[in-house]
Each structure stands twice: as C-alpha cells, then as structure tokens.
Amino acid sequence: MKLYTDEELAELLDQDVFHQISEAADRLGLECYVVGGYVRDIFLERPSNDIDVVVVGSGIAVAEELKRMVGKRAHLSVFKNFGTAQVKFRQKGREYEVEFVGARKESYSHDSRKPVVEDGTLEDDQNRRDFTINAMAICLNHNRFGELVDPFNGLADLEDGIIATPLEPDITFSDDPLRMMRCVRFATQLNFQIEEATYVALERMADRIRIVSGERIKDELNKIIMAPHPSIGFDYLQRTGLLQLILPELAALDIVEQKNGRAHKNNFYHTLEVLENVSAQSDNLWLRWAALMHDIGKTKSKRWDPAIGWTFHSHNLIGAKMVPQIFRRLMLPMDMKMKYVQKLVDLHMRPIAIADDEVTDSAVRRLLNDAGEDIDDLMTLCEADITSKNEVRKKLFLENFRMVREKLADLKTKDYVRLLQPVIDGNEIMELFHLKPSREVGVLKQYLKDAVLDNQVENEREPLMRLLMEKAHKMGLVEK
C-alpha cells in the first residue's frame, strides 16, 4: 500500500478521462467524485478499469454531457429506474467503462433488499457504502481536483488491513445482507482481518442471508473461491454461521467424532487444505469447486467399524450424487461444468487406490478410459488430496502418483482413444449375431472392452474376434 497527498492524487488522475468528467460536471455546476473500488485500488497500487462516479445531483445528466464531449465513439446506456448511466468508450488504446449515479440515501424494510431511494448529499452516499475502504471519494471538480474525502478513516483501515463498516455493522448488514458475503470476500481477496464489531455482527446477522438470491450468493462464492487463498473465506463463512445457511453439506464436515479412543480427522479443514493445494496449481474455477466438494459425501457415509475404526466407504459416489442438487440450489450452471465437477468427485479416490497399491498398466488404462480429457485435472485434485502429516506415507503416495502420470503420458502418446476402444463395436456385434439392442450386446461389448483395458489382447480385429466368439458360445448365441 502507498499513501498519497491530494496533490499526488491529482497527478495520478491526470488522465483525459478524468479531466473530461471534470469538465462535464463543471459545465452543469454539479459536484462530482470518483468513488469506491477505483479509489481503494489506487492506494493498493492495483490496476482498475471500472470507474464509479457519484454526482451530487443528476448522474445521468453528467453521463450525457460526457457522451456529447467524447462523440460518436462513446456508447451511452441510461437506466432511469435506477438513476444511473454508463458510458463506454476507447481512448488512446484503452477501454473505459464509467458508471454514473446521483448521490443518494437509502432506507430498507426488514424483509426486502429493495431500498427506498432518495436524492442525497455526498455524506449520505458515503454512509450507505458497504465498507470504510470502499467509502472514500476523490473530487473531480476543477477547483478541488484530487481532494480525498474520507469521513470513516478508510485509508487507515486500508493501512491496517481491516474490513469494517462505515455505520453500525448491524445497520449495514440488515439493510443489504449480501454485504456479509462481500465482507468475507474482501477479507479473502485482500487477506485483511475483519474488524471485531463487524465480525460479531456477521455472527449475529447471519440468518438475514436467507433473503438474498442464490444467484448473488453464487457470484460472491465464486469470487471467494478464485481468491489466492480461498480457505480464508470459507473459514470465515464457517465460523460466522453463514456457511451452514449457504452450503450446509460442506459445513457439516466440521466435526470430529471419537470412539474407543479413536478419532477421525476434521474433514472440513482437510477440505480447505485440499482447496489451497489445488489453488496453488490451477486457476480453473470448476477444479476448485471439485476440491471444495470432493468429500461432501463423508457425512452420510461415515460408519464405525470396531475392527478398523472410522470408515467413509463410497463417499465419492454419495458426494457425486449430491453435486447436482447443490449446483441447482446455488444457481450454478447445470451444464458440462456441473458434469465435470461431478465426475471429479466420483473419480477422486481412483488414483489414490492405484497409488496405494502396485501401479499396474491395467488400472491406469481403466482410469484414463473413465476420466478421458479430464485426467490431468483429476490427478491434480488427487495429489492435492494427500494431506497426511506422515511424511514417509505422503512421499510414497506422491512417488506412486509420479509413476501413474508417467504411464498416463505413455498411453496418451499412443492415442489412447483408439487404443482403449475395441475395434469391434456394438453395431458389428448386432450384425454378427442378428441381435437388436439388448443386454446381450452390452455384455459382449463390455467383455471386449475389459479385455482391451486389462491388456489381455492387442486391440486388433483377429484376437478380439476369437474372444468374442468364445464368449458368444458360452452365452448360447452361437454353436462351436
């Protein structure tokens, strides 16, 4: 973070776009400020392309004047119902998107997120902002150009790495409960601490998240997941009680049961460790979702076996079945992205089972056949899942994973799709034995596929035909 004087801020804003906004506002005799994330990111020395401007008066009027000044290359969108406008244009090789709004004050009813909006002062507008670090404003009018207006000491909170609300946090969160998610999201993205009174209010007000749509919650969750260290956010969500309301299947993993002196690990914090490991390797949002959900089936599958202790048999299959309902509830895409997450949750134990035993060609061929083009992501997830504190065991697993990857690489160089799919297909089987689509056809197809995957024979017509005829004879489809 870097501190700036008003004169230095004026120099940083010495760009055509800000001088044009300044001139447009001055022509109309209106106060005008750049606010929010753009101001925050100046001090954090982070690039920002989205410019939010508050006008004490009509934001739409200033947007229209800016459009007139910039000319045909600017595109103006006006949203009269919200009192906002947007101007998009390209200037000196850079794309600008400037949002204008009139300064306003808002009031809310208890059971709605839709506020009653009235015209207000800059102070009113800053009061309604979510956090002190987002409530700073820099004046753009010519006679005060670069002057910082920071009534809630947002600059000090930026310097101290604190997320706090401008008003009493109960008011801020009750007015707009989505701000609770945004609070956690900013703490995660910036690696800031949530101020104590704000944190306590998150715990107290958590139930208000119920009136927020799944769509908006999903957007914040995705931003948390894509942060450099997403476990920070999920830890906050769990400790404040928000996760129980948003993703109870994940929250339910935060338990350690003990029986006869034997306890299982905390699968919630194990999951966060796996998520961190995956995040260090990949920016794939859906692979990170798979990491977050890979063990959600453990709550339903947990059993005590006196002979071996706690077991979680088939938790991968149970978890895979839970994925669609979670995606639907959170309004996540129900397309191939959901299928991808479901597949990785389903298969995540397979490489571990291989690595815990002798790494055979047959097991690797079957794994590649089932995972297909997602095999590399599956291996990344499985390697991330090795969080054992036993360094000898961990080293053994990772060494075996290396061997699995080598065998996979060898198969892929040989065109694994051609290699693993029998050259005799279902259509030919039906023609040979005068069958219609039926169970018998499926049995014969699977028999040939198993033979190829287990490398019993070369994937060539003659040896496969011999196997096929032998199997057909045993099934009574042909005579010897």
Side-chain angles (χ1 to χ4, degrees):
M1 178 183 166
K2 189 169 182 180
L3 299 176
Y4 298 99
T5 64
D6 289 353
E7 291 76 15
E8 288 169 330
L9 288 174
E11 289 180 19
L12 288 169
L13 296 179
D14 187 16
Q15 303 171 38
D16 288 349
V17 61
F18 292 112
H19 289 300
Q20 288 168 324
I21 295 169
S22 174
E23 185 178 344
D26 283 345
R27 284 182 182 183
L28 298 172
L30 298 173
E31 285 181 50
C32 170
Y33 302 83
V34 58
V35 297
Y38 193 93
V39 177
R40 178 196 69 227
D41 288 344
I42 286 176
F43 293 101
L44 291 176
E45 299 181 274
R46 301 196 314 176
S48 184
N49 289 324
D50 296 337
I51 301 170
D52 293 322
V53 174
V54 165
V55 177
V56 182
S58 173
I60 293 174
V62 177
E64 290 172 338
E65 181 65 17
L66 177 64
K67 164 70 170 75
R68 190 191 65 76
M69 291 169 56
V70 174
K72 292 181 179 179
R73 69 179 185 274
H75 176 74
L76 171 67
S77 301
V78 175
F79 310 95
K80 287 188 177 179
N81 288 345
F82 299 97
T84 65
Q86 180 189 77
V87 182
K88 289 183 179 181
F89 59 97
R90 186 176 181 82
Q91 195 169 68
K92 294 184 178 179
R94 184 175 171 184
E95 297 286 344
Y96 289 100
E97 191 172 296
V98 187
E99 300 274 355
F100 290 88
V101 64
R104 58 193 184 184
K105 54 184 175 181
E106 299 174 343
S107 57
Y108 292 78
S109 62
H110 182 76
D111 59 350
S112 173
R113 285 198 61 256
K114 294 181 179 179
V116 175
V117 179
E118 303 174 71
D119 291 342
T121 63
L122 175 66
E123 182 182 3
D124 290 328
D125 201 87
Q126 289 176 302
N127 283 341
R128 72 178 184 84
R129 298 276 160 179
D130 51 8
F131 308 110
T132 60
I133 63 172
N134 295 332
M136 297 181 288
I138 300 175
C139 188
L140 295 179
N141 295 99
H142 178 72
N143 62 343
R144 294 171 54 208
F145 193 82
E147 180 185 311
L148 177 67
V149 183
D150 181 19
F152 303 109
N153 294 316
L155 198 55
D157 286 346
L158 261 188
E159 197 169 12
D160 293 339
I162 288 174
I163 305 294
T165 57
L167 304 178
E168 287 295 320
D170 288 60
I171 297 172
T172 297
F173 294 148
S174 181
D175 282 351
D176 184 355
L178 185 68
R179 288 170 176 164
M180 294 188 286
M181 294 294 298
R182 286 171 57 83
C183 179
V184 172
R185 191 246 294 180
F186 281 119
T188 308
Q189 289 178 326
L190 301 175
N191 198 12
F192 279 17
Q193 295 291 315
I194 298 176
E195 179 262 341
E196 185 177 357
T198 304
Y199 178 86
V200 172
L202 285 176
E203 295 179 303
R204 190 165 51 242
M205 305 294 294
D207 199 59
R208 285 281 285 160
I209 202 68
R210 294 182 190 275
I211 70 167
V212 181
S213 73
E215 181 77 24
R216 302 196 76 195
I217 289 172
K218 173 257 297 182
D219 290 342
E220 293 300 324
L221 276 178
N222 283 342
K223 290 173 183 175
I224 291 170
I225 289 175
M226 289 305 294
H229 295 286
S231 65
I232 295 170
F234 285 96
D235 185 39
Y236 270 130
L237 290 174
Q238 177 69 348
R239 288 191 288 118
T240 57
L242 284 164
L243 194 64
Q244 174 61 40
L245 300 166
I246 295 165
L247 196 47
E249 298 87 348
L250 181 61
L253 296 176
D254 188 9
I255 187 172
V256 176
E257 287 193 65
Q258 188 168 333
K259 200 160 188 174
N260 296 349
R262 300 174 73 174
H264 61 77
K265 66 186 173 188
N266 185 307
N267 287 303
F268 175 74
Y269 286 102
H270 161 73
T271 294
L272 296 195
E273 196 172 346
V274 175
L275 177 60
E276 283 292 309
N277 291 341
V278 165
S279 299
Q281 299 297 321
S282 175
D283 287 332
N284 180 339
L285 171 64
W286 306 109
L287 178 54
R288 292 186 182 199
W289 266 107
L292 195 66
M293 303 180 95
H294 80 285
D295 273 352
I296 54 169
K298 281 191 170 179
T299 303
K300 293 183 177 180
S301 66
K302 182 165 62 176
R303 299 288 184 273
W304 169 256
D305 184 331
I308 58 177
W310 294 102
T311 67
F312 302 92
H313 294 313
S314 300
H315 74 273
N316 55 311
L317 300 176
I318 294 170
K321 289 179 181 178
M322 295 166 67
V323 168
Q325 65 197 51
I326 293 172
F327 265 55
R328 190 174 291 110
R329 187 181 72 238
L330 291 175
M331 302 183 76
L332 289 160
M334 298 298 294
D335 56 12
M336 295 306 295
K337 297 180 180 70
M338 185 277 289
K339 294 284 187 185
Y340 165 90
V341 172
Q342 189 176 33
K343 180 204 281 191
L344 293 195
V345 172
D346 184 11
L347 294 178
H348 82 270
M349 294 299 293
R350 286 274 294 281
I352 292 173
I354 294 172
D356 201 21
D357 203 347
E358 182 184 355
V359 181
T360 65
D361 287 347
S362 173
V364 173
R365 289 160 76 94
R366 286 179 172 277
L367 177 65
L368 183 53
N369 177 73
D370 292 342
E373 63 185 17
D374 299 318
I375 186 65
D376 290 331
D377 288 349
L378 177 62
M379 292 301 298
T380 298
L381 173 59
C382 292
E383 287 164 351
D385 199 16
I386 306 303
T387 61
S388 171
K389 301 302 180 278
N390 183 328
E391 289 302 322
V392 174
R393 181 167 170 77
K394 186 174 183 178
K395 185 177 180 181
L396 177 63
F397 264 109
L398 294 178
E399 176 60 22
N400 281 358
F401 275 141
R402 185 189 62 77
M403 293 170 61
V404 172
R405 280 193 181 270
E406 285 180 359
K407 289 181 181 290
L408 287 168
D410 184 53
L411 277 173
K412 285 196 278 188
T413 60
K414 295 177 180 176
D415 184 6
Y416 74 90
V417 174
R418 181 190 60 77
L419 193 67
L420 303 181
Q421 298 300 320
V423 295
I424 299 174
D425 63 13
N427 290 328
E428 187 170 356
I429 290 171
M430 287 190 287
E431 189 176 329
L432 275 169
F433 303 113
H434 307 292
L435 295 171
K436 292 182 177 180
S438 59
R439 186 189 69 83
E440 287 83 358
V441 176
V443 169
L444 291 170
K445 280 178 62 180
Q446 190 62 48
Y447 182 71
L448 293 185
K449 186 157 193 174
D450 288 342
V452 170
L453 291 174
D454 291 337
N455 209 18
Q456 293 174 12
V457 293
E458 290 296 318
N459 190 8
E460 295 174 358
R461 186 173 187 76
E462 188 176 330
L464 282 177
M465 187 60 76
R466 282 198 301 270
L467 275 181
L468 178 62
M469 298 309 290
E470 289 172 8
K471 182 67 173 176
H473 172 68
K474 289 179 182 177
M475 293 173 63
L477 297 175
V478 293
E479 295 182 3
K480 197 82 171 181

